[in-house]
Amino acid sequence: MATTAQLFEEPFDADEYIERLAWRTPGGGSKGGAEAFDPKRLLEEFENHIEELKQLDEKIQRRVEKLEHQCHREAKEFAHKVQDLQRSNQVAFQHFQELDEHISYVATKVCHLGDQLEGVNTPRQRAVEAQRLMTYFNEFLDGDLRSDVFNNPDKIKEAADIIQKLHLILHITMLCLHVFAFSIPGKYHDLERQLIQEFTAAQRRGEIGRMREVAAVLLHFKGYAHCVDVYIKQCQEGAYMRNDVFEDTAVLCQRVNKQVGEVFSSPETVMAKLIQNIFENKLQAHVKEKLDETRHSDVEQYLKNLYDLYTRTTTLATKLTEFNLGSDKHTFLSKLIKSIFSSYLESYIDMEREYLRTRGAMILQRYYDSKNHQKRPIGTGSIQELKERIRQRTNLPLGPSIDTHGETFLSPELVVNLLQETRHAFERCHKLSDPSDLPKNAFSIFLLLVEHLCVEHIDYALEIGLSAIPSSDAKNANLYFLDVVQQANSIFHLFDKQFNDQLMPLISSSPKLAECLHKKKEVIEQMEVKLDTGIDRTLNCMVGQMKHILATEQKKTDFRPEDENNVMIQYTTACSKVCAYVSRQVEHVRKSMDGKNVDTVLTELGVRFHRLIHEHLQQYSYSSMGGMLAICDVAEYRRCAKDFRVPLVLQLFDTLHALCNLLVVAPDNLKQVCSGEQLTNLDRNLLHAFVQLRVDYRSARLGRHFS
């Protein structure tokens, strides 16, 4: 059995169990081991082991039945115990209810008895108090105050309580006896004055406990408010020793806030009265002094002072909200701030606009004076509009060209000054404007910025730049308009940044946003029209200059040399000079433009450059060697076109280079070349026109290839 028990180790596995049993049996192993395998012995061992397992099963079954019987018996016993406990609990609960009813009955009796005792005791106490007051009343009648309470300074608190009650009785009964009319009120005011003096002395000595006692007594006197006023006045003595009234106020309130809670029964009222006193006296006087001295003499300093004082006052108010000032302290502090600044804030935006208008005009005038430039009046009437329309449609210069000597009349320093002034104005507007007026005020400031920066400066510079662009047939013309474009773009990026950073947060949730965006769009469109016009005319001037170079440098003999066998040059002088000029202009465009504008302008310039060369080549006739030289020129033009980095322009010059091959190809191969990849899609008239430029066109009867 012991062996069997060992074989039942956890976790139990039947296969493993049989293996271990066979292994323990001599001659029962699968490989025999030391003894040979004996199946009979193994069978005998299995049968014996089965008998042992049956006996073990019977034994375990008897034990299980015994335990089940024992469990049923204990369950019945436990159920009887639970029933007994339930009965006991029910009895205890009934006793508890009876006790609770008895206690309630006794409590009711006690309360009733207490009410009866109070009903008897209260009239008795009132009678005793009345008798005591009548005794003191008689002393006032006799005019001889014999009681120690009126003559002992240490009992001033008790005397004050008595006098306050007698004064109240006198006031209620309206007795007109001259003794009462003068003696009691006189004593009342005398004690009130003594208590205030005692409070003041205790405050100077720093005796918080004594201050609390006296304040509690004075609470029932009419002079309590005067006591608070005296406290407020005295706590401010020596508090403003520095030049910073705001910092001094914050320190004072921090110190007093700890004290009023220990002295007064309603510290929030006292604290609010202290802050109101400071705002209506110290701060208002300080603000008036700072602003009135500059309001009419120095508007810039006045606006700076107003912004600084208002900001510091609101910051102080934010700090003061940490204190207990009553239920609606934010409204309370807002009213105090409004009482100080209302007269200044009403006229703020008018002064801001007038200052910006004057300041902007002064900055502009100072710049033009530094350039010794007298601003030209730019018309806005119907004639000017007509000129503008004609210029946009015909691209002709209207009026004489102006020599600006390379001056763009755009100043980064001026722009920074205008934007700086406007940024300060937006900051002041945000802080000083009423929330309902903020979008409107911010929009008015934005309009002034548009007027000074966009109209009076950028737009004027564009007008001057347009007037300075020479005609397309001018020789050796200096083209400065691209410099104007570069600076105008840089300036407008700064303008746009301020629009997004400074203006948008002020108007983003108001109807003024649409007006601002519309105005900005209008300004951009007006500038873009003039920029496009100027760039177009500048490109015309560039092409005109190239045309002039070609006209003066290109000779007819370049492509029909007298000695066909003695041509030593790689390309013509005209080609060399044109390519050098074009490279300079391409670099100039890259420096002046940004983003996609570079590709747009260079594409347009490249197309015009190609058209010019194409038309120029068609003006000459070509010998065999001249055709080779033309191909070399076009190859150089194509190399120059790579600087554009525009696929279209390079493709155009590739096609032109292929066309030039028609000038040198053998007559028999002409048809094959025309069917090549680059020429197959071109108009046959164009191909024929190029072939006609060959000097051997008639003699070789080349026209038959196009018939």
Side-chain angles (χ1 to χ4, degrees), residues 27 98 111 116 166 174 499 617:
E98 293 174 359
C111 289
Q116 289 180 332
L166 291 176
M174 301 296 291
F499 181 90
L617 291 174

Side-chain angles (χ1 to χ4, degrees), residues 658-665 670 673-674 679 687 690-691 694:
L659 280 171
C660 289
N661 287 331
L662 298 176
L663 301 175
V664 297
V665 69
L670 193 60
V673 172
C674 290
L679 300 181
L687 301 178
F690 253 82
V691 173
R694 295 172 56 139

